[in-house]
Amino acid sequence: MEGGLRADCARCFGLCCVAPAFAASADFAHDKPAGQPCRNLRTDFGCGIHPELRERGFAGCTVFDCFGAGQRVAQQTFGGRDWRNAPEHANQMFDVFAVMRSLHELLWYLTEALRLRPPADLAAQLSAALAETDAVAAGSPQDLLALDVDGHRAKLNLLLSRTAELARTRGGAAGADHRGAVLVGRDLRRVDLRQANLRGATLIGADLRGADLTRADLTGADLRGADLRGADLSDALFLHQAQVDAARGDRQTRLPVRLGRPAHWSALPLTPRRTRRR
């Protein structure tokens, strides 16, 4: 399961380069309608400018994560038929990709929740939800398109929220509640964020240099452009690679062992160390 939750672009048909729409912005250099291939997509479904995406104005591509949905749609749901050679399935494939991406994101969160070693009763519910969601994802294109994705996500979010709350309060009281807070550009260097609830918080461009985010719940937090230089995220909850890739950091930024340090961080200056509050 775990390996299937990481994108394997070599086994996909460039679905993330075709299915979604994007508008010209700081993240994308030009407009692209949904269902139309990006002009940089090659005939072998690879990206023609992959090593230079940021430099060429496509930073948004570098922070997108399908959680392995692309190869599952390509190889399992559609049995290896690609949208170029089977154009009659193209629109259906693109619509299924959006559903599968949501399901695989939920599979990732459920897997992470089980890593937190919740109590036995909650672990059993999470395991059952994981198996159920994986079974749903194995359905036919018609079954997937008929799925109430929002309803399925809402049901599982109750389990995930409960797991995060237990993890945040383990060994002490929970931290501050910033769930859904709009913290765009805020200076949070002196704010105690240990064990904080930052689910769905908008932290675009926030200054988190040197921040201690131990057991802070970062489910769905928007970290685009957030300054994480010198921050400690080694024990942050539900932090995934795309969030890290969207932020700014340096060699002093501490990450969970399963996440990689983005290459573009090396171009940023180090931030001075400061004493963290304990």
Side-chain angles (χ1 to χ4, degrees):
M1 168 69 69
E2 185 173 343
L5 299 179
R6 291 192 293 268
D8 184 353
C9 298
R11 301 182 64 236
C12 183
F13 300 133
L15 292 177
C16 66
C17 305
V18 186
F22 52 74
S25 64
D27 290 325
F28 299 103
H30 60 77
D31 294 327
K32 187 193 81 64
Q36 178 175 309
C38 172
R39 64 184 65 169
N40 300 309
L41 186 66
R42 301 186 312 227
T43 56
D44 65 355
F45 302 111
C47 175
I49 61 168
H50 192 269
E52 304 173 323
L53 281 167
R54 285 185 173 273
E55 293 77 9
R56 300 280 289 271
F58 291 88
C61 297
T62 70
V63 301
F64 178 81
D65 191 347
C66 76
F67 297 95
Q71 67 259 25
R72 188 166 193 174
V73 170
Q75 302 302 328
Q76 295 185 22
T77 313
F78 285 87
R81 293 171 296 177
D82 70 71
W83 48 271
R84 281 186 174 135
N85 290 321
E88 68 276 15
H89 297 294
N91 290 333
Q92 186 183 53
M93 186 180 296
F94 302 152
D95 291 341
V96 166
F97 174 67
V99 175
M100 188 70 78
R101 197 266 177 191
S102 293
L103 292 174
H104 268 233
E105 183 179 31
L106 286 170
L107 289 170
W108 183 89
Y109 278 115
L110 290 165
T111 302
E112 286 297 299
L114 285 166
R115 287 187 193 278
L116 298 175
R117 298 186 179 181
D121 63 331
L122 181 53
Q125 293 178 67
L126 289 166
S127 294
L130 184 69
E132 177 191 359
T133 302
D134 190 45
V136 170
S140 68
Q142 294 76 17
D143 291 338
L144 287 162
L145 293 176
L147 177 68
D148 178 3
V149 177
D150 291 338
H152 189 74
R153 181 186 295 112
K155 179 177 65 175
L156 299 189
N157 273 341
L158 296 175
L159 288 176
L160 294 170
S161 294
R162 183 180 164 202
T163 304
E165 287 300 305
L166 288 173
R168 287 174 57 226
T169 57
R170 188 176 297 154
D177 188 355
H178 300 292
R179 180 170 186 158
V182 178
L183 301 169
V184 177
R186 291 278 295 274
D187 185 347
L188 302 172
R189 288 175 294 172
R190 294 173 179 81
V191 177
D192 188 357
L193 295 174
R194 292 170 296 170
Q195 298 170 251
N197 185 350
L198 290 163
R199 292 174 71 88
T202 305
L203 293 157
I204 299 173
D207 190 345
L208 289 158
R209 286 176 291 170
D212 187 349
L213 290 153
T214 299
R215 293 206 305 278
D217 181 3
L218 292 171
T219 302
D222 191 339
L223 294 172
R224 285 178 293 168
D227 195 339
L228 301 177
R229 286 177 290 169
D232 186 355
L233 299 97
S234 56
D235 290 315
L237 308 177
F238 298 114
L239 176 70
H240 59 70
Q241 188 66 53
Q243 289 171 297
V244 173
D245 292 343
R248 306 168 66 215
D250 60 17
R251 295 193 305 273
Q252 295 175 345
T253 305
R254 297 179 63 189
L255 296 172
V257 294
R258 294 181 300 281
L259 300 185
R261 196 173 303 275
H264 70 275
W265 283 13
S266 62
L268 297 171
L270 294 173
T271 188
R273 281 287 191 187
R274 70 179 183 86
T275 302
R276 292 192 178 95
R277 294 189 297 170
R278 294 289 180 187

